[in-house]
Amino acid sequence: MVQKAKILLVDDRPENLLALEAILSALDQTLVRASSGEEALKALLTDDFAVILLDVQMPGMDGFETAAHIKRRERTRDIPIIFLTAINHGPHHTFRGYAAGAVDYISKPFDPWVLRAKVSVFVELYMKNCQLREQAALLRLQLEGGGQGKAAIGDAKEPAGLLAELSARLAAVEEQAEALSKQLDDESADAAAVATAAHLERKLTGLRRALDALEPGTGSSPSVPSQN
């Protein structure tokens, strides 16, 4: 069973956090609050997040500084950040947000439906990446040794049966990734989301090649694609 994705909400005002929770509750994911940049960085030390909603104007460490810390850490640098701000100082202010590593920059008051739709895209991408990592882990176990791989799957299937199961699971992820890519094209989504989806498809293609190379009669010894 795929666990729920975690979404980090960062804002120093409790009423704003409450409003974000009300808007995003329909996504049925795990919403984690942080009332400061420091608190957000602590949460990121232990948990994995699909996306971060980050308020720009906060006392102490503001959103720009918080984002800079997030992007400097190897563990968190690839997490999408959506900046939320109650003020608009013009193009320079917006550019600073993108320069800090944001995938989007939304001014308050924002349309709840639009915000929810944008967040849902990154949640879907996160879920697909989690599924891909699971398939790659199973494939590694199969390559390292049949007995260990069988134990991880939970039964004593023959190698051909393991390959068939892995191929079927990968096909399901491939189908979902293709549907997501089409959805992004139709909705003229953010460039960052489209690029992330394309990266996911490339990794899926590499994993499919590795599985195909394991089929009897190929005579090759494939390498598992990197998940970076």
Side-chain angles (χ1 to χ4, degrees):
M1 181 181 297
V2 179
Q3 294 184 345
K4 292 183 179 181
K6 291 184 178 180
I7 302 169
L8 183 58
L9 313 177
V10 189
D11 199 303
D12 62 299
R13 298 173 67 102
E15 63 270 25
N16 289 344
L17 291 171
L18 188 62
L20 287 173
E21 288 176 336
I23 292 170
L24 300 175
S25 61
L27 298 179
D28 193 28
Q29 304 301 326
T30 301
L31 306 177
V32 178
R33 285 188 176 200
S35 58
S36 67
E38 292 85 355
E39 192 174 331
L41 294 176
K42 281 185 180 180
L44 289 162
L45 287 173
T46 55
D47 289 324
D48 293 324
F49 292 92
V51 61
I52 302 169
L53 274 63
L54 180 57
D55 184 39
V56 172
Q57 306 299 127
M58 294 188 294
M61 185 185 295
D62 66 12
F64 296 131
E65 188 178 353
T66 302
H69 282 288
I70 292 171
K71 293 303 178 182
R72 280 199 291 265
R73 293 178 179 177
E74 184 176 355
R75 173 188 171 91
T76 59
R77 64 187 178 192
D78 294 325
I79 302 176
I81 298 174
I82 297 177
F83 271 134
L84 305 175
T85 179
I87 58 175
N88 188 351
H89 291 308
H92 176 73
H93 199 255
T94 302
F95 175 77
R96 187 182 175 193
Y98 287 118
V103 298
D104 210 338
Y105 195 96
I106 302 177
S107 297
K108 304 174 186 177
F110 43 76
D111 185 322
W113 188 92
V114 170
L115 179 63
R116 189 163 51 241
K118 288 177 180 291
V119 171
S120 69
V121 168
F122 290 108
V123 168
E124 285 189 64
L125 289 172
Y126 174 82
M127 293 295 196
K128 299 301 181 294
N129 272 299
C130 287
Q131 290 177 314
L132 178 58
R133 285 195 294 268
E134 178 187 348
Q135 312 313 316
L138 290 173
L139 179 57
R140 285 193 184 94
L141 288 176
Q142 170 62 17
L143 291 172
E144 290 169 0
Q148 186 179 3
K150 291 170 188 174
I153 299 294
D155 54 28
K157 294 180 182 178
E158 293 300 319
L162 284 170
L163 286 176
E165 180 172 342
L166 286 170
S167 182
R169 292 187 184 187
L170 180 58
V173 179
E174 288 171 329
E175 182 178 351
Q176 293 171 345
E178 182 179 359
L180 179 58
S181 294
K182 289 181 179 178
Q183 178 185 347
L184 290 174
D185 290 339
D186 293 342
E187 296 178 356
S188 300
D190 299 323
V194 174
T196 304
H199 180 59
L200 174 61
E201 287 193 332
R202 287 194 296 272
K203 291 197 290 185
L204 285 170
T205 299
L207 190 54
R208 172 58 66 187
R209 288 200 193 100
L211 272 176
D212 290 344
L214 286 173
E215 290 294 330
T218 60
S220 59
S221 180
S223 60
V224 178
S226 170
Q227 299 308 301
N228 295 329

